[in-house]
Amino acid sequence: MASAKLFYFDGRGRAELIRMVLTACGVKYSETCMSSKEQFLELRPSLLFGQLPLLEIDNVKIVQTNAIVRHLARTHKLDGKDEKEKTLIDQYYEGSRDFLASFMGAGFMVALEKVAEHAKPALLNSDCNFKITYCKVLKENGSSGYLVGSTMTLADLSLLEVVLMAGDYYGEAAFDSYPELKKFKETQSKLNFYNDYFHNIRKPMNSHEYVTKVKEVLSMK
Ligand SMILES: N[C@@H](CCC(=O)N[C@@H](CS)C(=O)NCC(=O)O)C(=O)O
């Protein structure tokens, strides 16, 4: 079984999806979490774009979150069985990444206490386009509970990250009137990887300490 090293911070950010995919692929990994400016500056020359996350796997250093998860998906067959499935997976993956990107830095831009309020219009509205679209896709794919085909793919993991985030902020209310998303979450929660991910791997929601630490390490104002 492959083993890997993940370099990031001790929080979700851009690395949470990588943690989910590593767990779903059954890859054992260790984490190095940046805790000082000096530690980051020492690592920086080995980062292709000077940025984290970095995943070392199979003697290769990979940066760029999307490249990392796509590498894992390709090497562990979470990327679809034919060209049509691969394209659909890419499409749904990009859709949920775009949506998530609008919240990614929220805890760094508005006071942490205001993040849920900030995200509310997009995540809780009864006419949330994102949720409507993914419900439609799940419905059209039949009763499997997955976005593409009848097994888990990278597209599902990417959607799951958004679904879990919405659940963190608003509980079950996040899925009122979206039965397909409710069922999607149930399907995912019955998979073997989920229990391990949810209980042992998933990082907590950002705290003041975490935001302060990241800003300090990256010399952010
Ligand atoms: N497109 C890159 C963006 C990476 C990125 O912006 N990383 C931040 C931390 S979340 C970083 O390392 N910033 C330091 C810098 O840009 O100097 C990815 O998805 O990996």
Side-chain angles (χ1 to χ4, degrees):
M1 192 181 282
S3 69
K5 284 185 195 166
L6 176 63
F7 297 80
Y8 195 65
F9 299 95
D10 193 17
R12 293 180 185 170
R14 294 179 197 273
E16 199 55 27
L17 181 65
I18 301 173
R19 297 184 183 103
M20 290 172 79
V21 180
L22 283 164
T23 313
C25 293
V27 175
K28 296 272 171 252
Y29 69 97
S30 60
E31 281 202 49
T32 301
C33 300
M34 296 299 116
S35 60
S36 71
K37 207 167 161 172
E38 294 69 32
Q39 189 185 13
F40 178 59
L41 290 177
E42 198 180 314
L43 180 69
R44 208 168 188 200
S46 64
L47 303 170
L48 190 62
F49 299 104
Q51 295 177 321
L52 294 166
L54 160 72
L55 185 74
E56 279 186 22
I57 188 164
D58 303 327
N59 296 318
V60 185
K61 288 181 198 282
I62 315 175
V63 293
Q64 293 291 350
T65 313
N66 291 338
I68 295 170
V69 296
R70 285 204 162 101
H71 172 86
L72 292 166
R74 273 195 306 279
T75 50
H76 292 81
K77 304 201 180 340
L78 295 181
D79 66 336
K81 66 176 180 337
D82 55 31
E83 290 306 319
K84 186 183 172 200
E85 281 197 4
K86 287 177 199 297
T87 302
L88 290 175
I89 290 164
D90 273 350
Q91 181 179 272
Y92 304 142
Y93 174 81
E94 295 297 338
S96 47
R97 288 302 93 190
D98 276 358
F99 188 70
L100 194 85
S102 54
F103 309 106
M104 185 64 78
F108 291 81
M109 291 174 311
V110 296
L112 222 44
E113 299 73 25
K114 294 196 175 146
V115 173
E117 202 54 38
H118 168 87
K120 212 169 184 173
L123 276 170
L124 214 52
N125 269 5
S126 58
D127 57 352
C128 173
N129 260 339
F130 176 85
K131 291 185 188 172
I132 293 168
T133 303
Y134 281 86
C135 280
K136 184 168 167 272
V137 173
L138 285 164
K139 205 169 182 174
E140 281 173 6
N141 193 40
S143 59
S144 76
Y146 299 102
L147 284 169
V148 179
S150 54
T151 54
M152 184 178 62
T153 67
L154 182 60
D156 297 305
L157 290 165
S158 181
L159 175 61
L160 182 63
E161 187 180 7
V162 178
V163 164
L164 290 178
M165 177 188 70
D168 274 349
Y169 283 125
Y170 314 110
E172 284 306 302
F175 311 105
D176 284 352
S177 27
Y178 299 100
E180 288 83 9
L181 280 180
K182 215 172 228 179
K183 182 176 172 232
F184 170 80
K185 194 176 169 217
E186 273 165 30
T187 305
Q188 296 286 317
S189 66
K190 284 181 194 137
L191 299 177
N192 286 341
F193 92 97
Y194 184 93
N195 202 29
D196 186 22
Y197 168 70
F198 201 78
H199 293 107
N200 305 322
I201 307 282
R202 185 166 173 72
K203 298 284 180 189
M205 289 169 86
N206 289 0
S207 63
H208 286 288
E209 293 69 28
Y210 173 71
V211 172
T212 307
K213 175 58 73 186
V214 174
K215 285 183 168 173
E216 178 198 315
V217 172
L218 296 181
S219 310
M220 288 165 72
K221 293 273 182 285

